[in-house]
Amino acid sequence: MIDIPCVILCGGKSSRMKEDKTLLPFFNSNSLAQFQYDRLKLHFQNIYISSKTNKFNFINEKNLILDENKEIFSPILALDTIFKKINNQKIFIITVDSPFVTIESIKELIKNSVDVDVCVAKTEDKVHNLCGIFDSNISLTIKNMINQDIHKINYLIKQNKFKIIEFPNNDEFMNINTPDDYKKSLICINKIYNSN
């Protein structure tokens, strides 16, 4: 079991999906959020969901981290609340809409995060700023950013000691943002589980 905590970010707007993607049915789960939670809790000693509201029926309240700011949709604000609840350590952060990231890749990110404050994944087409290890050392930067109304994750990363680890498989880091992405992801997940 991985001893650093895992936090699944579920507080986005889902604006491109036109409905709350965290609650969309996914494979053998009632929702995408539950699928992501159930698969990762097999590997992490401590796992949490970060959200604006308690909209989930599969999780204990002690494993739910509710954003202090309910009005502004920002991963920076989510991270601020997360580090207030889980302080003085490294945390693995992943978005709810990336259910194909493997445990092997997560362990690779953890292994490379020892001497840095932030270690995130990259594939050929992009840097995945919200799939990686974040250290509580960055809390002060986060507070300064909030005071200056800066909400870019990329800005946060560049202000700290960081490492970007490249992975060869674009599909593994696919994000489910649109209805087309959702349809594609259902095909992919069925292929993965039916071939095992």
Side-chain angles (χ1 to χ4, degrees):
M1 295 288 277
I2 299 169
D3 60 359
I4 73 166
C6 169
V7 180
I8 304 165
L9 299 181
C10 293
K13 270 185 176 177
S14 299
S15 50
R16 284 180 280 174
M17 189 66 73
K18 304 286 194 278
E19 60 182 303
D20 189 342
K21 62 183 165 186
T22 69
L23 302 177
L24 289 171
F26 197 76
F27 192 56
N28 56 359
S29 296
N30 290 328
S31 65
L32 181 58
Q34 185 172 0
F35 177 86
Q36 186 77 306
Y37 182 85
D38 285 347
R39 83 177 184 97
L40 292 172
K41 78 175 180 183
L42 299 174
H43 304 278
F44 284 88
Q45 288 179 18
N46 296 293
I47 183 163
Y48 303 87
I49 279 183
S50 164
S51 180
K52 292 279 186 206
T53 59
N54 185 355
K55 54 191 174 182
F56 309 110
N57 60 8
F58 61 87
I59 185 173
N60 292 325
E61 280 197 22
K62 68 183 178 65
N63 297 98
L64 191 64
I65 302 174
L66 296 178
D67 287 1
E68 289 180 359
N69 187 309
K70 308 291 185 196
E71 288 74 45
I72 300 170
F73 289 83
S74 160
I76 296 296
L77 294 171
L79 285 172
D80 184 50
T81 306
I82 288 163
F83 280 120
K84 284 175 182 170
K85 175 149 186 173
I86 311 170
N87 53 20
N88 300 321
Q89 60 183 305
K90 292 183 184 293
I91 300 170
F92 173 63
I93 299 287
I94 189 168
T95 54
V96 68
D97 62 2
S98 51
F100 299 108
V101 178
T102 65
I103 297 305
E104 290 72 28
S105 295
I106 293 169
K107 287 179 177 175
E108 187 68 18
L109 286 164
I110 293 169
K111 185 178 81 175
N112 281 280
S113 72
V114 175
D115 57 348
V116 293
D117 298 317
V118 181
C119 181
V120 293
K122 177 185 185 298
T123 50
E124 184 184 358
D125 57 347
K126 66 182 282 195
V127 175
H128 303 276
N129 289 328
L130 290 170
C131 180
I133 315 302
F134 292 76
D135 194 287
S136 56
N137 288 339
I138 67 174
S139 294
L140 184 59
T141 310
I142 290 171
K143 290 187 192 324
N144 290 336
M145 287 175 64
I146 292 168
N147 289 337
Q148 297 172 60
D149 201 26
I150 300 169
H151 294 275
K152 298 282 187 190
I153 282 288
N154 190 46
Y155 180 90
L156 170 66
I157 292 169
K158 296 289 174 62
Q159 297 301 306
N160 292 279
K161 192 175 179 187
F162 71 93
K163 197 182 283 185
I164 294 172
I165 306 302
E166 188 147 2
F167 293 90
N169 185 356
N170 278 325
D171 290 343
E172 181 186 346
F173 291 86
M174 167 192 172
N175 291 116
I176 303 170
N177 290 316
T178 66
D180 281 345
D181 293 339
Y182 177 51
K183 286 176 197 164
K184 183 181 172 188
S185 71
L186 293 176
I187 293 166
C188 289
I189 200 70
N190 276 298
K191 277 184 185 170
I192 290 167
Y193 281 87
N194 288 333
S195 65
N196 289 339

PDB file of all heavy atoms in Angstrom, residues 3 5 7 17 24 44 69 71 76 80 89 92-93 99 105 120 125 141 153 159 162 168 176 182 187:
ATOM      1  N   ASP A   3       1.919   4.852   1.050  1.00  0.00           N
ATOM      2  CA  ASP A   3       1.677   5.502   2.339  1.00  0.00           C
ATOM      3  C   ASP A   3       1.428   7.011   2.254  1.00  0.00           C
ATOM      4  O   ASP A   3       1.054   7.620   3.249  1.00  0.00           O
ATOM      5  CB  ASP A   3       2.815   5.211   3.325  1.00  0.00           C
ATOM      6  CG  ASP A   3       4.166   5.702   2.827  1.00  0.00           C
ATOM      7  OD1 ASP A   3       4.234   6.247   1.707  1.00  0.00           O
ATOM      8  OD2 ASP A   3       5.154   5.543   3.564  1.00  0.00           O
ATOM      9  N   PRO A   5      -0.935  10.149   1.098  1.00  0.00           N
ATOM     10  CA  PRO A   5      -2.378  10.248   0.806  1.00  0.00           C
ATOM     11  C   PRO A   5      -2.649  10.516  -0.680  1.00  0.00           C
ATOM     12  O   PRO A   5      -1.825  11.115  -1.372  1.00  0.00           O
ATOM     13  CB  PRO A   5      -2.840  11.442   1.654  1.00  0.00           C
ATOM     14  CG  PRO A   5      -1.732  11.727   2.603  1.00  0.00           C
ATOM     15  CD  PRO A   5      -0.483  11.248   1.954  1.00  0.00           C
ATOM     16  N   VAL A   7      -5.596  12.288  -3.163  1.00  0.00           N
ATOM     17  CA  VAL A   7      -6.796  13.139  -3.206  1.00  0.00           C
ATOM     18  C   VAL A   7      -7.296  13.219  -4.646  1.00  0.00           C
ATOM     19  O   VAL A   7      -6.541  13.569  -5.562  1.00  0.00           O
ATOM     20  CB  VAL A   7      -6.523  14.559  -2.671  1.00  0.00           C
ATOM     21  CG1 VAL A   7      -7.798  15.397  -2.748  1.00  0.00           C
ATOM     22  CG2 VAL A   7      -6.017  14.516  -1.230  1.00  0.00           C
ATOM     23  N   MET A  17     -18.914  19.211 -20.475  1.00  0.00           N
ATOM     24  CA  MET A  17     -19.752  18.008 -20.444  1.00  0.00           C
ATOM     25  C   MET A  17     -21.238  18.375 -20.409  1.00  0.00           C
ATOM     26  O   MET A  17     -22.098  17.581 -20.774  1.00  0.00           O
ATOM     27  CB  MET A  17     -19.394  17.145 -19.224  1.00  0.00           C
ATOM     28  CG  MET A  17     -20.046  15.788 -19.206  1.00  0.00           C
ATOM     29  SD  MET A  17     -19.499  14.699 -20.536  1.00  0.00           S
ATOM     30  CE  MET A  17     -17.845  14.276 -19.982  1.00  0.00           C
ATOM     31  N   LEU A  24     -21.507  10.766 -13.598  1.00  0.00           N
ATOM     32  CA  LEU A  24     -21.851   9.944 -14.762  1.00  0.00           C
ATOM     33  C   LEU A  24     -21.570   8.468 -14.472  1.00  0.00           C
ATOM     34  O   LEU A  24     -20.529   8.140 -13.884  1.00  0.00           O
ATOM     35  CB  LEU A  24     -21.020  10.372 -15.979  1.00  0.00           C
ATOM     36  CG  LEU A  24     -21.354  11.720 -16.618  1.00  0.00           C
ATOM     37  CD1 LEU A  24     -20.302  12.080 -17.665  1.00  0.00           C
ATOM     38  CD2 LEU A  24     -22.739  11.706 -17.251  1.00  0.00           C
ATOM     39  N   PHE A  44      -3.885   2.848  -1.942  1.00  0.00           N
ATOM     40  CA  PHE A  44      -3.489   3.917  -1.017  1.00  0.00           C
ATOM     41  C   PHE A  44      -4.048   3.662   0.380  1.00  0.00           C
ATOM     42  O   PHE A  44      -5.220   3.317   0.526  1.00  0.00           O
ATOM     43  CB  PHE A  44      -4.006   5.274  -1.522  1.00  0.00           C
ATOM     44  CG  PHE A  44      -3.231   5.839  -2.672  1.00  0.00           C
ATOM     45  CD1 PHE A  44      -3.557   5.509  -3.980  1.00  0.00           C
ATOM     46  CD2 PHE A  44      -2.175   6.712  -2.452  1.00  0.00           C
ATOM     47  CE1 PHE A  44      -2.843   6.033  -5.054  1.00  0.00           C
ATOM     48  CE2 PHE A  44      -1.446   7.242  -3.511  1.00  0.00           C
ATOM     49  CZ  PHE A  44      -1.785   6.903  -4.814  1.00  0.00           C
ATOM     50  N   ASN A  69     -13.958  27.725  -0.237  1.00  0.00           N
ATOM     51  CA  ASN A  69     -14.571  28.708  -1.138  1.00  0.00           C
ATOM     52  C   ASN A  69     -15.523  27.984  -2.083  1.00  0.00           C
ATOM     53  O   ASN A  69     -15.106  27.149  -2.888  1.00  0.00           O
ATOM     54  CB  ASN A  69     -13.480  29.435  -1.932  1.00  0.00           C
ATOM     55  CG  ASN A  69     -14.019  30.570  -2.765  1.00  0.00           C
ATOM     56  OD1 ASN A  69     -14.967  30.401  -3.518  1.00  0.00           O
ATOM     57  ND2 ASN A  69     -13.419  31.736  -2.640  1.00  0.00           N
ATOM     58  N   GLU A  71     -17.711  29.565  -4.202  1.00  0.00           N
ATOM     59  CA  GLU A  71     -18.114  30.387  -5.359  1.00  0.00           C
ATOM     60  C   GLU A  71     -17.166  30.246  -6.549  1.00  0.00           C
ATOM     61  O   GLU A  71     -17.598  30.163  -7.691  1.00  0.00           O
ATOM     62  CB  GLU A  71     -18.195  31.875  -4.957  1.00  0.00           C
ATOM     63  CG  GLU A  71     -19.370  32.242  -4.063  1.00  0.00           C
ATOM     64  CD  GLU A  71     -19.197  31.769  -2.632  1.00  0.00           C
ATOM     65  OE1 GLU A  71     -18.093  31.956  -2.085  1.00  0.00           O
ATOM     66  OE2 GLU A  71     -20.154  31.204  -2.071  1.00  0.00           O
ATOM     67  N   ILE A  76      -6.513  25.771  -7.385  1.00  0.00           N
ATOM     68  CA  ILE A  76      -5.644  26.415  -6.393  1.00  0.00           C
ATOM     69  C   ILE A  76      -6.384  26.519  -5.049  1.00  0.00           C
ATOM     70  O   ILE A  76      -5.823  26.231  -3.989  1.00  0.00           O
ATOM     71  CB  ILE A  76      -5.194  27.817  -6.877  1.00  0.00           C
ATOM     72  CG1 ILE A  76      -4.329  27.702  -8.135  1.00  0.00           C
ATOM     73  CG2 ILE A  76      -4.448  28.566  -5.772  1.00  0.00           C
ATOM     74  CD1 ILE A  76      -3.020  26.969  -7.954  1.00  0.00           C
ATOM     75  N   ASP A  80      -5.514  24.618  -1.504  1.00  0.00           N
ATOM     76  CA  ASP A  80      -5.394  25.355  -0.248  1.00  0.00           C
ATOM     77  C   ASP A  80      -6.162  24.637   0.863  1.00  0.00           C
ATOM     78  O   ASP A  80      -5.633  24.421   1.966  1.00  0.00           O
ATOM     79  CB  ASP A  80      -5.923  26.781  -0.433  1.00  0.00           C
ATOM     80  CG  ASP A  80      -5.746  27.639   0.813  1.00  0.00           C
ATOM     81  OD1 ASP A  80      -4.629  27.666   1.358  1.00  0.00           O
ATOM     82  OD2 ASP A  80      -6.721  28.274   1.239  1.00  0.00           O
ATOM     83  N   GLN A  89       3.237  17.014   4.533  1.00  0.00           N
ATOM     84  CA  GLN A  89       3.603  15.808   3.793  1.00  0.00           C
ATOM     85  C   GLN A  89       3.310  15.958   2.305  1.00  0.00           C
ATOM     86  O   GLN A  89       2.732  16.940   1.858  1.00  0.00           O
ATOM     87  CB  GLN A  89       2.854  14.600   4.342  1.00  0.00           C
ATOM     88  CG  GLN A  89       1.330  14.694   4.263  1.00  0.00           C
ATOM     89  CD  GLN A  89       0.680  13.475   4.906  1.00  0.00           C
ATOM     90  OE1 GLN A  89       0.972  12.353   4.535  1.00  0.00           O
ATOM     91  NE2 GLN A  89      -0.193  13.707   5.876  1.00  0.00           N
ATOM     92  N   PHE A  92      -0.568  12.743  -3.327  1.00  0.00           N
ATOM     93  CA  PHE A  92      -0.805  12.473  -4.748  1.00  0.00           C
ATOM     94  C   PHE A  92      -2.144  13.069  -5.130  1.00  0.00           C
ATOM     95  O   PHE A  92      -3.172  12.753  -4.534  1.00  0.00           O
ATOM     96  CB  PHE A  92      -0.802  10.965  -5.042  1.00  0.00           C
ATOM     97  CG  PHE A  92      -1.206  10.650  -6.458  1.00  0.00           C
ATOM     98  CD1 PHE A  92      -0.439  11.086  -7.528  1.00  0.00           C
ATOM     99  CD2 PHE A  92      -2.370   9.945  -6.726  1.00  0.00           C
ATOM    100  CE1 PHE A  92      -0.820  10.822  -8.839  1.00  0.00           C
ATOM    101  CE2 PHE A  92      -2.762   9.671  -8.031  1.00  0.00           C
ATOM    102  CZ  PHE A  92      -1.978  10.105  -9.087  1.00  0.00           C
ATOM    103  N   ILE A  93      -2.114  13.956  -6.126  1.00  0.00           N
ATOM    104  CA  ILE A  93      -3.323  14.623  -6.621  1.00  0.00           C
ATOM    105  C   ILE A  93      -3.657  14.067  -8.002  1.00  0.00           C
ATOM    106  O   ILE A  93      -2.778  13.948  -8.873  1.00  0.00           O
ATOM    107  CB  ILE A  93      -3.101  16.154  -6.735  1.00  0.00           C
ATOM    108  CG1 ILE A  93      -2.773  16.766  -5.368  1.00  0.00           C
ATOM    109  CG2 ILE A  93      -4.303  16.828  -7.385  1.00  0.00           C
ATOM    110  CD1 ILE A  93      -3.921  16.880  -4.407  1.00  0.00           C
ATOM    111  N   PRO A  99      -9.344   8.324 -15.409  1.00  0.00           N
ATOM    112  CA  PRO A  99      -9.426   7.009 -14.768  1.00  0.00           C
ATOM    113  C   PRO A  99      -8.489   5.941 -15.326  1.00  0.00           C
ATOM    114  O   PRO A  99      -8.520   4.795 -14.875  1.00  0.00           O
ATOM    115  CB  PRO A  99     -10.891   6.611 -15.029  1.00  0.00           C
ATOM    116  CG  PRO A  99     -11.211   7.250 -16.341  1.00  0.00           C
ATOM    117  CD  PRO A  99     -10.464   8.561 -16.332  1.00  0.00           C
ATOM    118  N   SER A 105       2.433   4.030 -13.130  1.00  0.00           N
ATOM    119  CA  SER A 105       2.800   5.417 -13.440  1.00  0.00           C
ATOM    120  C   SER A 105       2.769   6.282 -12.181  1.00  0.00           C
ATOM    121  O   SER A 105       3.623   7.146 -11.984  1.00  0.00           O
ATOM    122  CB  SER A 105       1.861   5.994 -14.502  1.00  0.00           C
ATOM    123  OG  SER A 105       2.014   5.309 -15.729  1.00  0.00           O
ATOM    124  N   VAL A 120       4.990  16.236 -11.667  1.00  0.00           N
ATOM    125  CA  VAL A 120       3.787  15.954 -12.456  1.00  0.00           C
ATOM    126  C   VAL A 120       4.118  15.180 -13.725  1.00  0.00           C
ATOM    127  O   VAL A 120       5.272  15.109 -14.148  1.00  0.00           O
ATOM    128  CB  VAL A 120       3.022  17.259 -12.810  1.00  0.00           C
ATOM    129  CG1 VAL A 120       2.438  17.902 -11.570  1.00  0.00           C
ATOM    130  CG2 VAL A 120       3.912  18.227 -13.576  1.00  0.00           C
ATOM    131  N   ASP A 125       1.698  15.225 -25.922  1.00  0.00           N
ATOM    132  CA  ASP A 125       0.884  16.385 -26.294  1.00  0.00           C
ATOM    133  C   ASP A 125       0.731  17.438 -25.204  1.00  0.00           C
ATOM    134  O   ASP A 125       0.410  18.579 -25.481  1.00  0.00           O
ATOM    135  CB  ASP A 125      -0.505  15.941 -26.787  1.00  0.00           C
ATOM    136  CG  ASP A 125      -1.255  15.101 -25.755  1.00  0.00           C
ATOM    137  OD1 ASP A 125      -0.624  14.651 -24.780  1.00  0.00           O
ATOM    138  OD2 ASP A 125      -2.466  14.904 -25.922  1.00  0.00           O
ATOM    139  N   THR A 141       3.133  29.494  -1.185  1.00  0.00           N
ATOM    140  CA  THR A 141       2.945  29.973  -2.563  1.00  0.00           C
ATOM    141  C   THR A 141       1.469  30.035  -2.907  1.00  0.00           C
ATOM    142  O   THR A 141       0.997  31.002  -3.523  1.00  0.00           O
ATOM    143  CB  THR A 141       3.661  29.049  -3.581  1.00  0.00           C
ATOM    144  OG1 THR A 141       5.005  28.836  -3.178  1.00  0.00           O
ATOM    145  CG2 THR A 141       3.634  29.638  -4.978  1.00  0.00           C
ATOM    146  N   ILE A 153      -2.484  26.643 -12.273  1.00  0.00           N
ATOM    147  CA  ILE A 153      -1.664  25.576 -11.696  1.00  0.00           C
ATOM    148  C   ILE A 153      -0.237  25.642 -12.239  1.00  0.00           C
ATOM    149  O   ILE A 153       0.735  25.414 -11.507  1.00  0.00           O
ATOM    150  CB  ILE A 153      -2.298  24.195 -12.000  1.00  0.00           C
ATOM    151  CG1 ILE A 153      -3.480  23.948 -11.059  1.00  0.00           C
ATOM    152  CG2 ILE A 153      -1.291  23.072 -11.833  1.00  0.00           C
ATOM    153  CD1 ILE A 153      -3.103  23.659  -9.622  1.00  0.00           C
ATOM    154  N   GLN A 159       6.704  28.204  -9.654  1.00  0.00           N
ATOM    155  CA  GLN A 159       7.191  28.979  -8.506  1.00  0.00           C
ATOM    156  C   GLN A 159       7.898  28.110  -7.464  1.00  0.00           C
ATOM    157  O   GLN A 159       8.423  28.616  -6.483  1.00  0.00           O
ATOM    158  CB  GLN A 159       6.020  29.710  -7.817  1.00  0.00           C
ATOM    159  CG  GLN A 159       5.321  30.741  -8.666  1.00  0.00           C
ATOM    160  CD  GLN A 159       6.263  31.838  -9.143  1.00  0.00           C
ATOM    161  OE1 GLN A 159       6.941  32.465  -8.348  1.00  0.00           O
ATOM    162  NE2 GLN A 159       6.296  32.051 -10.444  1.00  0.00           N
ATOM    163  N   PHE A 162      10.377  21.849  -9.041  1.00  0.00           N
ATOM    164  CA  PHE A 162       9.488  20.881  -9.688  1.00  0.00           C
ATOM    165  C   PHE A 162      10.246  19.958 -10.630  1.00  0.00           C
ATOM    166  O   PHE A 162      11.370  20.223 -11.039  1.00  0.00           O
ATOM    167  CB  PHE A 162       8.380  21.617 -10.456  1.00  0.00           C
ATOM    168  CG  PHE A 162       8.844  22.329 -11.701  1.00  0.00           C
ATOM    169  CD1 PHE A 162       8.799  21.695 -12.940  1.00  0.00           C
ATOM    170  CD2 PHE A 162       9.339  23.622 -11.636  1.00  0.00           C
ATOM    171  CE1 PHE A 162       9.226  22.341 -14.087  1.00  0.00           C
ATOM    172  CE2 PHE A 162       9.770  24.283 -12.774  1.00  0.00           C
ATOM    173  CZ  PHE A 162       9.719  23.642 -14.002  1.00  0.00           C
ATOM    174  N   PRO A 168       5.064   7.564 -22.085  1.00  0.00           N
ATOM    175  CA  PRO A 168       4.892   7.360 -23.527  1.00  0.00           C
ATOM    176  C   PRO A 168       3.451   7.233 -24.018  1.00  0.00           C
ATOM    177  O   PRO A 168       3.178   7.427 -25.195  1.00  0.00           O
ATOM    178  CB  PRO A 168       5.651   6.049 -23.780  1.00  0.00           C
ATOM    179  CG  PRO A 168       5.563   5.314 -22.476  1.00  0.00           C
ATOM    180  CD  PRO A 168       5.566   6.360 -21.411  1.00  0.00           C
ATOM    181  N   ILE A 176     -11.607  13.052 -19.422  1.00  0.00           N
ATOM    182  CA  ILE A 176     -12.998  12.954 -19.895  1.00  0.00           C
ATOM    183  C   ILE A 176     -13.650  14.323 -19.697  1.00  0.00           C
ATOM    184  O   ILE A 176     -14.145  14.636 -18.611  1.00  0.00           O
ATOM    185  CB  ILE A 176     -13.758  11.851 -19.128  1.00  0.00           C
ATOM    186  CG1 ILE A 176     -13.037  10.507 -19.278  1.00  0.00           C
ATOM    187  CG2 ILE A 176     -15.200  11.738 -19.624  1.00  0.00           C
ATOM    188  CD1 ILE A 176     -13.571   9.414 -18.373  1.00  0.00           C
ATOM    189  N   TYR A 182     -16.404  10.996 -23.135  1.00  0.00           N
ATOM    190  CA  TYR A 182     -17.088  10.036 -22.266  1.00  0.00           C
ATOM    191  C   TYR A 182     -17.398   8.743 -23.026  1.00  0.00           C
ATOM    192  O   TYR A 182     -17.122   7.636 -22.551  1.00  0.00           O
ATOM    193  CB  TYR A 182     -18.359  10.672 -21.708  1.00  0.00           C
ATOM    194  CG  TYR A 182     -19.209   9.769 -20.840  1.00  0.00           C
ATOM    195  CD1 TYR A 182     -18.660   9.063 -19.776  1.00  0.00           C
ATOM    196  CD2 TYR A 182     -20.581   9.640 -21.079  1.00  0.00           C
ATOM    197  CE1 TYR A 182     -19.455   8.250 -18.968  1.00  0.00           C
ATOM    198  CE2 TYR A 182     -21.370   8.836 -20.281  1.00  0.00           C
ATOM    199  CZ  TYR A 182     -20.798   8.136 -19.225  1.00  0.00           C
ATOM    200  OH  TYR A 182     -21.583   7.328 -18.437  1.00  0.00           O
ATOM    201  N   ILE A 187     -15.788   2.868 -24.098  1.00  0.00           N
ATOM    202  CA  ILE A 187     -15.263   1.831 -25.003  1.00  0.00           C
ATOM    203  C   ILE A 187     -13.907   1.336 -24.500  1.00  0.00           C
ATOM    204  O   ILE A 187     -13.646   0.135 -24.423  1.00  0.00           O
ATOM    205  CB  ILE A 187     -15.149   2.375 -26.444  1.00  0.00           C
ATOM    206  CG1 ILE A 187     -16.549   2.662 -27.015  1.00  0.00           C
ATOM    207  CG2 ILE A 187     -14.400   1.401 -27.343  1.00  0.00           C
ATOM    208  CD1 ILE A 187     -16.555   3.496 -28.284  1.00  0.00           C
TER     209      ILE A 187
END
